[in-house]
Amino acid sequence: MRIFDEFKKFAMRGNVVDLAIGVVIGAAFTGIVNSLVKDVIMPPIGLALGGIDFANFFITLKGPHLATLAEAQKAAAVTLNYGAFINTIINFLIVALALFLLIRSINRLTTPETPAEAAEAAPPAPPEEVLLLREIRDSLKAQSR
């Protein structure tokens, strides 16, 4: 029973709950970015390249050489799908850029913007009496050695 209590305490920490929320939001965000890349960004790039679809960039390693990846897969050909890899790299770069911009915006909201605000956020200096007592303590420690 003690292990269960420890696990419950661990699982209910703020970090674990925050991580779980981040994973769920990240999965939803990935779906949005995948759609953005597939449905919005890649069609104009393909059009600029003469109507070529990156998903159909592949090399047939074994089997019949067909025009599209779907046909090659249907014919059970062994293919190297580098077009899908290009799509995945573009997805990653867009996700990384979006996360960078999001975190940058959050950091701007949470960090002080002016030096005056930064000075307000810094802890106040200890009173002169405390500084004097610290000097006496340090002096006594040095003498006892």
Side-chain angles (χ1 to χ4, degrees):
M1 194 66 172
R2 182 174 177 166
I3 290 177
F4 178 74
D5 291 335
E6 287 180 36
F7 178 75
K8 182 179 174 184
K9 183 178 177 182
F10 166 77
M12 299 318 283
R13 285 186 186 166
N15 294 345
V16 175
V17 174
D18 291 344
L19 178 64
I21 291 169
V23 167
V24 170
I25 290 174
F29 187 70
T30 300
I32 291 169
V33 172
N34 284 338
S35 175
L36 174 70
V37 171
K38 179 182 173 189
D39 301 328
V40 177
I41 293 174
M42 294 311 286
I45 291 174
L47 184 63
L49 294 174
I52 299 173
D53 181 13
F54 277 106
N56 283 320
F57 286 3
F58 67 97
I59 297 171
T60 304
L61 300 175
K62 182 179 178 185
H65 297 280
L66 299 168
T68 66
L69 180 61
E71 291 173 356
Q73 288 176 340
K74 190 174 182 180
V78 178
T79 58
L80 183 67
N81 307 326
Y82 66 92
F85 183 67
I86 292 171
N87 280 342
T88 303
I89 289 173
I90 292 171
N91 267 359
F92 171 77
L93 293 174
I94 291 172
V95 168
L97 177 66
L99 286 175
F100 169 74
L101 294 174
L102 177 69
I103 291 171
R104 184 174 175 218
S105 299
I106 290 171
N107 286 341
R108 284 187 177 178
L109 292 174
T110 59
T111 57
E113 294 181 9
T114 64
E117 289 176 348
E120 288 177 13
E128 189 174 327
E129 296 84 12
V130 172
L131 293 174
L132 182 60
L133 289 170
R134 286 181 184 168
E135 284 181 31
I136 293 170
R137 178 197 64 200
D138 294 341
S139 176
L140 290 172
K141 280 184 181 178
Q143 287 176 1
S144 67
R145 289 183 187 172

